[in-house]
Amino acid sequence: MPGEHFVVPPHWEWYILGYFFLAGISGGSFVLGTMLRLWGDARDAIAARVAFLISFPTLLICPILLTLDLGQPLRFWHFLIDDSAGGLAFKVWSPMSLGAWALLIFGIFSFVMFLAALAEGGTVRALETAASFIAGAVGRVFVAVGAVLGLFVAAYTGVLLAVSNQPIWSDTWALGGLFLASGLSGAAACVLLATRSRREAQATDRKLIEADRYFILLELALIILFLATLGGVVSKVLSGGWIILWVIVLAGTLVPLALHWRGGVMRQATLFAPVLVLLGVLALRAVVIFSAQA
Amino acid sequence: MAKPVGFLTDTTLCIGCKACEVACKEWNGLPNNPIEFRDSYDNTGQLDHANWRHVRFLETTTSNPDKPIAWSMMSDVCKHCANASCLEVCPTNAIIRTEFDTVFIQQDVCNGCRDCIAACPYAVIGFNQATGTAQKCTFCYDRLQNNLMPACATACPTQSIKFGDLDTMRQTAAQRVQTLQGQGVSNARVYGDTEYGGLHALFILTEKPEAYALPSAESAVLPGRNDAPGYLTAAITAVLAGLAGLIAFRRRGDTASRTIPSPSGGGSGPSSPSPSGGASGRGL
């Protein structure tokens, strides 16, 4: 019968929680930056630049957390190089293998856009070449490819959990989509927090709030799908102390949604709602990661 | 290529002496278990990095008033699955299939990511804090290479643990079940003929597999079953999120002002500025 497990947990804990959170923010920020750049207007350039400025530093912490979580941190490169048979260690059916490669390649895209964003802001004038590179058609293709990788980095962590035999994680196929939707929502919250004191970004803030509203609706639908697919093990994730985390998840979705629905960019709302969203994004990952291993 | 090898562990012959556990620990130099009171003859607890054989003690109640308690013992071990979940997910290729068709973790390659522990459906693999790697039964790979039987099978005094080439073990298991059923043990069955493509550690059981903490045939599924649906759900979410972005970011798009802004970032638009928040065009 599905939901029958005789397993021991892998003890993926705080480092992995931090990694999953930041991967969602980094990938999501890049995707938002790309969408603003490709579909927005000139007023959105500031928010797009901020999104790229968020993406790379948050991504940079991810491999550090991953490496610290390893039993043999100095062998982190075994994710990429096959130390026994030689050649590359690449297994398309292993999400952890794909994720390691995705982090590396997405890192290049995220780094280039980070440099370009610095140059566009005039922070580092020596980087104007990077800015000119991403300004043209090649740049549009570049960010689009980077956005696909960003989507993958934000989503694959959920698939990684599902591709196991652990209770909860392996009983659903909704985690990849759920982590992606919540990562995008968290990224929108980060950009809103970073631009909230920029009056020239106010028009974009309205768009970001609208986008975040859709992302939250998507996230809520996927939370329902996640719980519905768990079957008999749903009680394991909806009991005891985990309820507190679910309350934070709901507060991080329903309250911002209610505030966003009223429209406008009231100062209080733009500070309060994004912080709640980020807490919800963190709590969602925490309840999924820890409840399965309890 | 050597012949595929197999264990056949017969629970009807096990007397719970734990000679297999001791022999395994001795040969493989595994550390002692911490002393703890478990309120059971089973003081090993589980398979892990330090216990590659574990004699499980099953105490069940019966309807016979003369024998109200029935004991069953099973010497558990890594199943060395033909389709191994651990091998499937291992991102570093530290887990390999040997020339004997067994599953082996290369200790010098494993980086301790613990993905195999999350994947193993039999709770076989343990994480060794001292070495920082995942560890489990090697099927006494070093002994096999020197034409020796695994230590556990060698030490078993009742031949509850048999070792040989896999086909022979399958035939022996089928014959033994026939004999047991002929003796009135109607529940006798072989576990491991079909699960995960066939196990290299077969068991003769007299209860349902779940009673021995073994997943039933329908529950014995590979982690990869969630690969395609997991990515598909993520892809559908990505498309919907893209549409959401398109609606949110394009709807109010003013094509007239669609120009690349100057580095100072002061793109002028029709939106009315907020009175607060003195902004500069540079940096964050």
Side-chain angles (χ1 to χ4, degrees):
Chain A
M1 57 176 284
E4 180 186 61
H5 300 278
F6 303 103
V7 296
V8 286
H11 296 293
W12 290 336
E13 294 169 352
W14 297 103
Y15 288 133
I16 297 303
L17 172 63
Y19 165 52
F20 282 14
F21 175 73
L22 292 174
I25 300 297
S26 175
S29 296
F30 195 100
V31 173
L32 281 182
T34 303
M35 290 198 287
L36 284 165
R37 196 174 183 90
L38 297 183
W39 299 333
D41 57 46
R43 293 166 297 172
D44 301 327
I46 294 169
R49 197 167 64 77
V50 165
F52 291 123
L53 288 175
I54 290 169
S55 177
F56 183 66
T58 46
L59 183 74
L60 208 53
I61 305 168
C62 292
I64 296 170
L65 294 174
L66 259 185
T67 302
L68 287 173
D69 187 66
L70 294 177
Q72 284 280 353
L74 293 178
R75 294 184 191 163
F76 67 94
W77 55 275
H78 287 195
F79 281 130
L80 306 174
I81 307 293
D82 190 330
D83 190 42
S84 60
L88 301 178
F90 181 74
K91 288 165 86 167
V92 75
W93 56 91
S94 166
M96 194 178 278
S97 176
L98 275 186
W101 281 102
L103 273 183
L104 179 72
I105 299 168
F106 176 61
I108 296 167
F109 283 81
S110 186
F111 180 57
V112 170
M113 291 311 295
F114 178 74
L115 293 183
L118 284 180
E120 279 179 0
T123 313
V124 185
R125 289 209 173 276
L127 298 173
E128 276 168 4
T129 314
S132 61
F133 165 70
I134 57 106
V138 176
R140 283 197 289 277
V141 173
F142 184 82
V143 287
V145 173
V148 172
L149 288 164
L151 287 166
F152 183 86
V153 166
Y156 97 91
T157 50
V159 183
L160 168 68
L161 294 182
V163 178
S164 71
N165 268 313
Q166 295 291 308
I168 298 172
W169 301 347
S170 67
D171 293 313
T172 180
W173 32 259
L175 284 176
L178 178 56
F179 281 12
L180 174 58
S182 87
L184 284 166
S185 174
C190 279
V191 177
L192 277 168
L193 279 176
T195 58
R196 71 188 178 85
S197 60
R198 307 281 296 263
R199 64 180 175 177
E200 64 270 38
Q202 204 174 50
T204 313
D205 282 357
R206 288 199 192 93
K207 296 179 180 181
L208 279 168
I209 285 171
E210 184 181 351
D212 198 20
R213 199 160 67 205
Y214 300 139
F215 297 149
I216 289 173
L217 285 172
L218 206 50
E219 184 183 347
L220 284 169
L222 282 156
I223 286 173
I224 293 166
L225 194 62
F226 163 65
L227 295 174
T229 49
L230 288 184
V233 296
V234 72
S235 58
K236 195 172 161 65
V237 77
L238 283 179
S239 59
W242 309 124
I243 298 292
I244 297 167
L245 288 175
W246 280 113
V247 169
I248 300 173
V249 172
L250 289 178
T253 46
L254 297 178
V255 174
L257 201 59
L259 290 170
H260 289 175
W261 219 277
R262 292 166 59 190
V265 281
M266 293 174 299
R267 286 291 160 216
Q268 294 85 348
T270 54
L271 175 64
F272 181 57
V275 170
L276 264 185
V277 166
L278 287 171
L279 286 174
V281 171
L282 191 63
L284 176 71
R285 281 156 177 75
V287 74
V288 170
I289 290 172
F290 291 115
S291 66
Q293 300 183 87
Chain B
M1 175 82 179
K3 269 191 159 182
V5 295
F7 281 129
L8 170 59
T9 305
D10 187 343
T11 62
T12 66
L13 296 177
C14 181
I15 56 173
C17 70
K18 305 182 192 177
C20 52
E21 288 190 12
V22 175
C24 177
K25 273 194 183 274
E26 289 264 325
W27 180 261
N28 294 296
L30 301 180
N32 291 330
N33 292 357
I35 296 169
E36 54 184 323
F37 183 63
R38 287 180 174 269
D39 197 21
S40 165
Y41 288 113
D42 179 356
N43 56 357
T44 303
Q46 69 284 310
L47 291 169
D48 57 25
H49 72 280
N51 297 288
W52 297 352
R53 271 279 178 186
H54 164 224
V55 179
R56 193 182 291 281
F57 284 69
L58 235 73
E59 198 180 59
T60 51
T61 52
T62 72
S63 54
N64 184 347
D66 296 330
K67 282 175 136 183
I69 301 291
W71 282 93
S72 182
M73 278 76 76
M74 184 189 87
S75 178
D76 201 4
V77 70
C78 172
K79 315 303 178 288
H80 296 270
C81 315
N83 301 323
S85 302
C86 58
L87 196 151
E88 182 185 271
V89 300
C90 176
T92 62
N93 290 328
I95 302 182
I96 56 162
R97 194 165 289 286
T98 71
E99 65 270 35
F100 302 103
D101 216 21
T102 58
V103 178
F104 182 82
I105 304 177
Q106 302 176 94
Q107 290 300 302
D108 58 333
V109 182
C110 175
N111 66 7
C113 71
R114 310 188 293 289
D115 208 4
C116 54
I117 297 175
C120 177
Y122 294 109
V124 162
I125 307 175
F127 179 70
N128 187 339
Q129 295 284 355
T131 61
T133 56
Q135 293 181 337
K136 70 168 191 73
C137 161
T138 64
F139 222 116
C140 281
Y141 184 46
D142 49 351
R143 290 175 67 92
L144 292 185
Q145 286 174 316
N146 289 284
N147 296 315
L148 292 170
M149 283 216 296
C152 54
T154 306
C156 179
T158 64
Q159 293 194 39
S160 168
I161 301 172
K162 295 179 180 64
F163 167 81
D165 70 72
L166 187 59
D167 287 340
T168 307
M169 290 298 102
R170 283 193 178 134
Q171 287 167 13
T172 308
Q175 285 165 6
R176 176 67 179 156
V177 166
Q178 252 186 343
T179 304
L180 285 168
Q181 287 179 341
Q183 291 171 344
V185 187
S186 56
N187 282 338
R189 69 190 79 194
V190 180
Y191 182 85
D193 258 348
T194 55
E195 290 78 7
Y196 292 105
L199 308 180
H200 284 252
L202 303 165
F203 295 86
I204 291 174
L205 310 176
T206 55
E207 301 281 345
K208 284 183 178 175
E210 297 92 317
Y212 302 88
L214 299 169
S216 58
E218 57 269 29
S219 293
V221 285
L222 285 163
R225 71 191 182 281
N226 282 332
D227 252 322
Y231 286 125
L232 183 64
T233 312
I236 292 168
T237 307
V239 170
L240 292 174
L243 284 173
L246 197 59
I247 293 166
F249 299 137
R250 280 201 88 135
R251 185 189 290 173
R252 296 186 190 85
D254 178 2
T255 48
S257 61
R258 189 180 291 279
T259 53
I260 300 296
S262 69
S264 59
S268 62
S271 64
S272 56
S274 156
S276 62
S280 82
R282 289 173 186 270
L284 258 174

